[in-house]
Amino acid sequence: MSFTSRSRRQSSPISVKTFKVITLTSFIILAGMILYYLNPAISQLYPPSPFRAITGLYCPGCGSLRAIHQLLHGHFLAALDLNPLMVLATPYLIYSFISYTSPVILGQKIPQFYIKPAWIWLFLKIVLAYWVLRNIPFAPFNWLAP
C-alpha cells in the first residue's frame, strides 16, 4: 500500500468539502471586509482593469468592485449605475454559494438550479451586447459606462 492511497482513505470526502467551504467562506468574508472598508473608487489597493488599461475600453466587469462596494453599503441604485449585470447576477451568486455550502453548514442539500444551455448562450449574448453597447460614446449607451 502506498502512502497516497493510505492518506486518501484517512480523509473522508466530507472533511475535504468542509475544508473547501471554510476556505471559500473565509475568502468571501475577507474580500467583503476589504471591499466594505476600502472604496475601490479611491483606494490604491486595487489594480486598474488590464483590459481598460490596454484598450481604453470598458469590459463587462468594469465597475464591478465599485458596485459591490456600493451594495455592501446598501446603495442599490449607485451599484446599479456602476455595473447592472453584476447587480443582477448577485442573487444568483449568493444562491449558488448557499447551495454549495448548505450540506456542510446545514447538514442538508437545498435545490440547485439546472440552467439549460440555451439560457447560458443567451446570457453570453447579453454580456457581449452589454460589452459593445457600454463603449458607444453617446447617449443612451454611455449611460452603461461606469
Side-chain angles (χ1 to χ4, degrees):
M1 181 185 303
S2 71
F3 176 73
T4 56
S5 63
R6 190 177 313 140
S7 65
R8 284 187 187 155
R9 247 189 242 140
Q10 290 173 350
S11 65
S12 65
I14 190 68
S15 66
V16 171
K17 175 93 174 195
T18 302
F19 176 75
K20 288 180 181 180
V21 166
I22 290 169
T23 303
L24 178 64
T25 304
S26 300
F27 176 76
I28 290 171
I29 290 170
L30 179 62
M33 289 173 54
I34 291 169
L35 269 172
Y36 183 86
Y37 290 109
L38 298 174
N39 186 349
I42 57 174
S43 176
Q44 298 298 317
L45 174 69
Y46 308 99
S49 165
F51 183 80
R52 178 134 170 86
I54 292 170
T55 66
L57 300 171
Y58 298 112
C59 73
C62 280
S64 291
L65 285 177
R66 290 176 284 152
I68 294 170
H69 175 80
Q70 294 299 327
L71 282 176
L72 290 172
H73 286 273
H75 305 137
F76 179 79
L77 294 177
L80 200 59
D81 187 45
L82 290 166
N83 193 317
L85 282 182
M86 181 66 219
V87 174
L88 295 174
T90 301
Y92 174 76
L93 295 172
I94 291 170
Y95 188 83
S96 295
F97 172 76
I98 292 169
S99 68
Y100 178 77
T101 60
S102 66
V104 173
I105 295 171
L106 302 174
Q108 61 185 13
K109 289 184 176 184
I110 61 172
Q112 293 183 342
F113 290 112
Y114 172 75
I115 301 173
K116 294 181 180 180
W119 286 101
I120 295 171
W121 284 109
L122 175 65
F123 181 72
L124 177 62
K125 290 174 186 175
I126 290 169
V127 169
L128 292 174
Y130 175 69
W131 191 349
V132 170
L133 293 175
R134 76 186 320 203
N135 285 295
I136 297 175
F138 52 84
F141 306 110
N142 61 353
W143 298 339
L144 295 173

